[in-house]
Amino acid sequence: MAIRHQQVTPGAYSGFMLETLHPTWHRRAVMMAMASLAIMPSTPIDAHARTDIDPFGLGVASGDPSGDGFVLWTRLIGRGLAPLDAKAVSVRYEVAADRGFRTIVRRGVLPARPEAAHSVHVEVGGLPSGRAFWYRFHALGATSPIGRTTTVPQTSARLRIAVTSCQHWEQARFGAYRDMIAQQPDLVLQLGDYIYEQTYPDQAKVRSFGTSEPLDLGGYRQRHALYKTDPDLQAAHRACPWVVTWDDHEVLNDYANLANRTGEPAAMFATRRAAAYQAYFEHMPIRPSIWHGASTPRLYRAVDWGDLASLSVLDTRQYRSPSPCAPAGIARNVRLDGCAEAAASTGTIMGATQERWLDQRLASEHRPWTLIGQQVFFAPLALDSAGRATFSDQWDGYTANRSRVLQGLSRSTVTSPLVLSGDVHSFWVNDLNDSGGRPVAGEIVTSALAAASPPKGRFGDALANNGHIRFSDVEQAGYVLIDIGQTQLTADLRAIRDRQSADSPVASIAMFGMARGSRRLERA
């Protein structure tokens, strides 16, 4: 019945190393970057700290549910999104079995420290499975909004997941979350690009970042804080637990491991990446125990739903081998034309350790539904009729790794597999086949929740050039709502009519289903 709570601090990052095909110089760069963020001795509690504004202006959130608990998050903030002007502050939390907090089942106190931007993460355990709970925080004479969360049932007949990706503050409002909340999902799966680090001058803006591109810890903290002020995003976090993973824009567009768009030396980019990673953890409902004391800031993990569905959440950014057919140290999403390096057996988008972890999960699978949540387009996507042209930043740039994952999904232990992807600001439904053309799994790619559509013609004549693609909509934004039962999975692709209006209606544009025991999605 113990309560586990840990504070996310920069000190937790010291000692991180990076798995890579070039271990010596990469590891040295990452070690130096993490050491530069190491904290001084913890500051004492400021018992007299007060504020004349709401310190909970960034809201509350929960995430990573398990059979007996979850993680709770909040961050105290100062005026105008400035860091709170205080030393360490005591934060009380309460977890109740009812919204009125008449039955408190957990309570405690922990410090919010300036070294971690006054963020707090509380890992709560020892609770009954399959139950709803409500939580809140108290600090500086104020009380936070109330959030609702759940523990995972031991046995379950249903699961509803909302799958989302890519939300650009300047390009769209976040009104699709209103429809998502109305659908009452059990879980929100966010597949990356939660923030965008860059502005696009040629794109219309509905609001402004108000600051330049983040390059350091202060900049990334400010960008995350800005996003957290959105009322629809806050409401979605309060509604249910989230499971999150990052993609490139949480750091820099198209980065791969320590390679980057400008060829910035690894030691310099490692410092920026470390700052971005730290800010990400400080603002997300992620269990500190998944990375605390580890050699890397590990984000890949399992969040399974009782005996019904397994969910493996991947990190396809941190461990990549060098970008195929690119100069050393350079990573950009470019069109490849017959690039042999993309098929190299040593190429990996996951890293060897994460690959082994996933393969072991698939080998021991015993649930009827197998879900993999990851960032980028998984299926082959030929951009020409000859099938030679592909994009480097997707799994097409690491085809040997894709083959290994498909081999794992082909195991007899896996009965109904589905890959969930994001990144490309468009809806797709794909067959995932083995080298002999036999179906292995289905893939659903969710569009951006709130971002501009890709340029016209970006993917060529995708349906004509790719017989395994079942559906494609490259013009609409929204999310995917997935219902899983004992015998059937249904996916509802939902698009917002006007992404520049928070009040715009959302409607279904396509429905697909998968029967238990099948390895293909069918149009419903």
Side-chain angles (χ1 to χ4, degrees):
M1 300 293 287
I3 300 175
R4 305 182 296 275
H5 58 76
Q6 298 176 345
Q7 171 87 17
V8 184
T9 66
Y13 295 82
S14 59
F16 279 154
M17 294 185 292
L18 183 66
E19 178 188 30
T20 173
L21 296 180
H22 304 283
T24 304
W25 66 276
H26 276 181
R27 184 176 296 117
R28 185 181 304 117
V30 173
M31 291 287 286
M32 292 177 65
M34 296 303 177
S36 71
L37 293 175
I39 63 171
M40 299 299 289
S42 297
T43 55
I45 296 291
D46 186 350
H48 304 290
R50 289 292 184 271
T51 180
D52 59 352
I53 67 164
D54 179 10
F56 296 106
L58 304 186
V60 300
S62 70
D64 287 357
S66 67
D68 74 335
F70 33 73
V71 61
L72 306 178
W73 169 91
T74 194
R75 178 193 167 193
L76 307 181
I77 194 70
R79 185 176 298 278
L81 301 185
L84 188 68
D85 185 16
K87 298 179 182 178
V89 175
S90 291
V91 178
R92 293 188 296 118
Y93 62 89
E94 296 174 314
V95 181
D98 62 289
R99 186 175 178 83
F101 285 81
R102 292 180 294 274
T103 305
I104 306 293
V105 297
R106 291 289 185 274
R107 56 163 49 100
V109 181
L110 70 163
R113 301 188 184 279
E115 298 89 353
H118 292 99
S119 65
V120 294
H121 292 70
V122 186
E123 290 196 54
V124 180
L127 297 174
S129 63
R131 292 279 303 276
F133 295 91
W134 288 260
Y135 62 95
R136 64 187 177 188
F137 298 89
H138 307 274
L140 300 172
T143 298
S144 75
I146 295 170
R148 180 187 179 278
T149 191
T150 59
T151 52
V152 173
Q154 290 184 354
T155 60
S156 179
R158 59 167 298 277
L159 168 63
R160 172 169 284 189
I161 303 178
V163 184
T164 176
S165 174
C166 303
Q167 48 193 29
H168 198 293
W169 177 270
E170 292 187 328
Q171 294 178 354
R173 299 287 181 180
F174 296 170
Y177 280 122
R178 299 184 186 185
D179 180 77
M180 185 186 296
I181 295 169
Q183 303 301 327
Q184 298 183 320
D186 299 298
L187 199 67
V188 172
L189 176 62
Q190 211 284 334
L191 296 175
D193 293 347
Y194 185 98
I195 67 166
Y196 276 73
E197 88 296 357
Q198 68 181 110
T199 187
Y200 291 85
D202 58 332
Q203 297 283 349
K205 294 183 175 59
V206 299
R207 51 189 173 179
S208 173
F209 284 138
T211 58
S212 58
E213 182 174 319
L215 300 172
D216 56 17
L217 183 56
Y220 283 107
R221 282 173 170 170
Q222 187 176 41
R223 184 60 51 87
H224 275 281
L226 177 66
Y227 269 71
K228 283 295 201 293
T229 64
D230 185 272
D232 294 312
L233 181 57
Q234 283 195 15
H237 274 296
R238 292 196 303 269
C240 68
W242 282 45
V243 176
V244 302
T245 188
W246 52 36
D247 198 19
D248 53 342
H249 286 286
E250 282 85 2
V251 183
L252 177 66
N253 187 24
D254 296 340
Y255 87 94
N257 200 319
L258 290 179
N260 55 87
R261 297 177 63 83
T262 62
E264 186 175 14
M268 294 177 62
F269 185 70
T271 299
R272 178 176 180 177
R273 197 188 75 168
Y277 282 5
Q278 178 171 332
Y280 183 84
F281 278 117
E282 289 173 349
H283 291 84
M284 293 294 158
I286 304 169
R287 290 178 178 267
S289 57
I290 69 169
W291 77 86
H292 180 71
S295 61
T296 65
R298 172 175 165 173
L299 194 56
Y300 66 87
R301 63 207 186 278
V303 183
D304 299 326
W305 198 262
D307 60 351
L308 183 64
S310 69
L311 172 59
S312 300
V313 184
L314 305 187
D315 175 355
T316 64
R317 283 290 161 191
Q318 186 178 182
Y319 312 108
R320 292 186 180 207
S321 54
S323 299
C325 296
I330 297 292
R332 296 176 182 167
N333 187 23
V334 298
R335 181 182 172 116
L336 302 175
D337 190 356
C339 171
E341 290 180 15
S345 61
T346 54
T348 178
I349 199 173
M350 296 171 61
T353 300
Q354 185 178 193
E355 282 198 48
R356 287 192 298 270
W357 169 83
L358 178 62
D359 192 62
Q360 290 167 3
R361 290 219 351 121
L362 297 177
S364 60
E365 177 66 284
H366 60 277
R367 298 172 179 86
W369 301 99
T370 301
L371 309 180
I372 296 178
Q374 59 89 44
Q375 295 80 354
V376 296
F377 205 102
F378 187 92
L381 179 57
L383 305 176
D384 63 346
S385 59
R388 288 176 50 85
T390 59
F391 282 130
S392 63
D393 192 60
Q394 301 172 175
W395 285 77
D396 275 333
Y398 304 87
T399 60
N401 193 165
R402 179 170 60 203
S403 296
R404 293 190 291 269
V405 173
L406 289 175
Q407 185 176 12
L409 288 170
S410 299
R411 292 177 182 271
S412 60
T413 51
V414 179
T415 56
S416 307
L418 181 63
V419 176
L420 302 171
S421 314
D423 179 60
V424 289
H425 298 200
S426 43
F427 290 106
W428 303 74
V429 177
N430 306 318
D431 291 336
L432 301 178
N433 303 323
D434 63 16
S435 58
R438 294 176 292 270
V440 173
E443 178 185 21
I444 297 176
V445 182
T446 184
S447 187
L449 180 114
S453 297
K456 290 187 180 300
R458 177 170 178 78
F459 304 107
D461 193 347
L463 295 180
N465 296 332
N466 300 272
H468 55 278
I469 294 179
R470 311 291 298 284
F471 177 85
S472 174
D473 184 311
V474 299
E475 296 181 350
Q476 301 191 74
Y479 71 99
V480 176
L481 189 68
I482 297 178
D483 281 297
I484 301 174
Q486 289 288 348
T487 61
Q488 183 75 23
L489 177 150
T490 302
D492 183 1
L493 283 59
R494 302 184 64 79
I496 190 166
R497 181 181 298 171
D498 180 4
R499 70 194 78 185
Q500 296 188 355
S501 170
D503 297 322
S504 181
V506 174
S508 175
I509 61 169
M511 297 279 291
F512 281 81
M514 177 185 284
R516 179 170 173 170
S518 174
R519 293 178 177 269
R520 287 190 60 177
L521 291 155
E522 301 291 348
R523 188 75 180 257

